[in-house]
Amino acid sequence: MSPVARLRGLKPDWINDPKVWRTEILAGLVVGLALIPEAISFSIIAGVDPAIGLFAAFTMAVTISIVGGRPAMISAATGAVALVIAPLNREHGFGYLVAAVILAGVFQIALGAAGVAKLMRFVPRSVMVGFVNALAILIFMAQIPEMTDVPWAVYPLIAAGLALMVFFPKVTKAVPAPLVSIVILTVITVAAGIAVPTVGDKGDLPSSLPTPGLPDVPFTLDTLTTIAPYALAMALVGLMESLMTAKLVDDITDTRSNKTRESIGQGIANIVTGFLGGMGGCAMIGQTMINVRVSGARTRLSTFLAGSFLMVLCIAFGPVVSDIPMAALVAVMVMVTFATFDWHSIAPKTLKRMPAGEITVMVLTVAVVVATSNLAIGVVVGSVTAMVIFAKRVAHLAHVTSVTDPDGSQVVYSVTGELFFASSDDMVARFDYAGDPDKVVIDMSATHVWDASSVAALDAIEAKYAQHGKEVEIIGLNEPSAHLHDKLSGELSKNH
């Protein structure tokens, strides 16, 4: 194959589609605008200058658009990351924060290469639904400060913005409704001289691009031990949010993405961001929903342009962007809240059909996320709860039935169900050690031995029968079960 043909093969399918270009460019512009107040707010949480958050939003988005595994997903400075690294900045200074961001990127690359993304298969659907609903609630709660103790004009502006986003798509979908809403509300407030909070009130916008440099810290073991716990926490929280968001976008777009590449890409993006003086970040679920669900973007172009537009808007059009009323952006985020929440999950018909355990997991996930404002903690608690409920449910599926030969010479026990740590102990009590005949057969053809606890239980059964001078024969083990049993049997006793 010639080099030219090879290059043609690397071109994405949409490269010659004007409709896709228009959608992606306009989506990038909307997200770029929505990123500005968010990045500034997260900078305040982290205790750094607003420009630091904006630099992080720019570098994260642009870098992840190239190296990430999930097209159309937006990564930038986030509240979860800001909460993790804020104490480090407060106690040790900005140089340590930057060093932690770089180290977190290294951890994420290592975790990605080690296959941490595969753990996502253990996140049940009920946790995913709870995650999405909690996210919607958090996005709405984040808007409440922008709607309290504000001039009365803010409320009709928000209502007008919501009305535009609901009805404008009925006229045309050529231009994203959020962009139309932002432009119209900005023109109205500026032209009419309406005094309402604006983007400029959040903080000064940067006037130049970030410059690369090393973190201002002593390169010693003491520095490493100081930043390592924060870096690891940031790496884990960032990966959790990014992988959950990637899974959500997969479901929305009916496409699959490379989670391992996404994990490594997040690490690369954080390293780049750290060397450019940013505060680091991860996938932004609210902005991703604006990009994918509201604006209809599907490619890396929108992610790249979101970061690029953000910097262009700040540097070249700072005064104009500063005049955008916060009410316009609040309306966009409220719309995202309603679009994100899984209303079907709380419909009475759904709740009647859903098992109680599933509802419990979903509600607990939402409660923990909202209480802690940390999506990662909620997902972990929800997943662990789901696993406990599952183990408890499966533990009762192991049954033991017995048939004694007519002549009373032997008894055959049939074991059905799954044998693992939660069910095997209960199985030990199902045998009549004193009353059974001298020959005992345990038929395992309808079960599977999953772990060492099950092998130890079988050993215990044999030992109890041996105490009564009776012989036990275990038959019907499938190949994996037989291999595990042969490997561990007799090796697990405390007295061995």
Side-chain angles (χ1 to χ4, degrees):
M1 183 183 292
S2 69
V4 173
R6 199 177 293 115
L7 282 173
R8 281 181 187 147
L10 292 173
K11 283 185 179 180
D13 296 336
W14 52 264
I15 202 75
N16 295 317
D17 189 338
K19 188 182 291 186
V20 173
W21 277 87
R22 183 183 65 213
T23 300
E24 301 296 311
I25 291 170
L26 293 175
L29 182 56
V30 172
V31 175
L33 287 167
L35 278 172
I36 294 172
E38 295 276 308
I40 294 173
S41 298
F42 299 144
S43 300
I44 294 168
I45 291 172
V48 299
D49 188 88
I52 304 302
L54 291 165
F55 287 156
F58 163 60
T59 55
M60 287 292 299
V62 169
T63 307
I64 206 68
S65 71
I66 299 167
V67 300
R70 173 64 259 178
M73 191 166 76
I74 306 296
S75 290
T78 59
V81 168
L83 286 168
V84 169
I85 59 177
L88 180 63
N89 181 61
R90 187 168 55 248
E91 294 169 19
H92 298 278
F94 180 65
Y96 281 81
L97 181 150
V98 172
V101 169
I102 295 169
L103 184 58
V106 174
F107 283 148
Q108 287 178 329
I109 292 173
L111 289 167
V116 71
K118 293 177 182 176
L119 295 176
M120 288 305 296
R121 71 182 66 178
F122 297 107
V123 178
R125 183 185 178 279
S126 52
V127 174
M128 191 70 192
V129 173
F131 167 82
V132 169
N133 291 345
L135 159 68
I137 294 168
L138 286 182
I139 292 173
F140 182 79
M141 287 173 63
Q143 311 315 308
I144 292 176
E146 305 298 338
M147 294 187 280
T148 53
D149 297 324
V150 292
W152 68 268
V154 167
Y155 304 110
L157 284 172
I158 292 174
L162 290 170
L164 279 167
M165 283 182 282
V166 169
F167 295 110
F168 187 79
K170 300 181 187 300
V171 179
T172 178
K173 293 183 179 179
V175 182
L179 180 58
V180 174
S181 176
I182 291 169
V183 171
I184 290 177
L185 294 187
T186 302
V187 170
I188 290 172
T189 54
V190 172
I194 302 173
V196 291
T198 64
V199 170
D201 295 332
K202 287 287 183 181
D204 295 330
L205 303 180
S207 57
S208 62
L209 289 169
T211 54
L214 294 173
D216 184 19
V217 294
F219 292 91
T220 62
L221 184 60
D222 184 54
T223 299
L224 182 62
T225 55
T226 300
I227 66 173
Y230 296 96
L232 183 58
M234 176 184 161
L236 294 173
V237 168
L239 283 183
M240 177 78 75
E241 291 211 20
S242 298
L243 293 174
M244 290 293 287
T245 306
K247 189 174 180 181
L248 179 59
V249 177
D250 288 354
D251 293 341
I252 293 171
T253 60
D254 289 326
T255 57
R256 296 184 67 182
S257 60
N258 188 330
K259 305 300 188 300
T260 297
R261 178 176 171 180
E262 183 60 41
S263 302
I264 295 171
Q266 289 289 330
I268 295 171
N270 272 306
I271 291 172
V272 171
T273 298
F275 281 120
L276 287 169
M279 58 180 274
C282 61
M284 292 192 79
I285 304 160
Q287 272 64 22
T288 298
M289 291 299 100
I290 294 174
N291 197 45
V292 175
R293 179 162 272 172
V294 180
S295 301
R298 293 292 182 270
T299 78
R300 298 175 184 276
L301 181 62
S302 57
T303 306
F304 178 85
L305 291 176
S308 302
F309 280 142
L310 177 145
M311 228 11 39
V312 171
L313 289 167
C314 289
I315 295 171
F317 301 98
V320 176
V321 172
S322 295
D323 287 335
I324 295 174
M326 284 302 300
L329 298 174
V330 168
V332 171
M333 298 311 291
V334 170
M335 195 70 184
V336 169
T337 297
F338 282 95
T340 302
F341 197 92
D342 187 348
W343 298 101
H344 176 72
S345 67
I346 60 170
K349 186 186 292 185
T350 305
L351 294 175
K352 281 181 183 177
R353 295 179 179 178
M354 192 77 69
E358 301 271 315
I359 296 173
T360 300
V361 170
M362 180 181 73
V363 172
L364 183 64
T365 302
V366 172
V368 173
V369 170
V370 172
T372 63
S373 296
N374 191 316
L375 293 161
I377 294 175
V379 169
V380 170
V381 171
S383 297
V384 170
T385 304
M387 289 175 187
V388 170
I389 291 173
F390 173 77
K392 188 176 179 182
R393 188 183 302 157
V394 174
H396 297 297
L397 297 180
H399 299 287
V400 179
T401 55
S402 65
V403 176
T404 304
D405 283 0
D407 60 4
S409 61
Q410 75 170 14
V411 62
V412 177
Y413 283 92
S414 296
V415 182
T416 59
E418 304 299 316
L419 282 187
F420 66 113
F421 62 89
S423 60
S424 55
D425 282 348
D426 187 43
M427 181 185 68
V428 176
R430 306 288 182 89
F431 296 82
D432 185 1
Y433 301 102
D436 282 339
D438 291 342
K439 179 68 184 296
V440 178
V441 177
I442 302 176
D443 184 0
M444 307 285 288
S445 56
T447 189
H448 186 97
V449 177
W450 286 104
D451 58 9
S453 297
S454 303
V455 176
L458 291 173
D459 284 354
I461 292 167
E462 290 187 87
K464 286 178 181 291
Y465 275 117
Q467 288 172 4
H468 290 84
K470 299 175 182 180
E471 178 190 352
V472 175
E473 181 185 4
I474 297 174
I475 64 171
L477 286 169
N478 58 36
E479 188 175 340
S481 299
H483 177 72
L484 184 66
H485 185 263
D486 293 344
K487 183 179 178 182
L488 297 180
S489 183
E491 301 293 326
L492 302 172
S493 171
K494 291 179 182 178
N495 298 321
H496 180 74

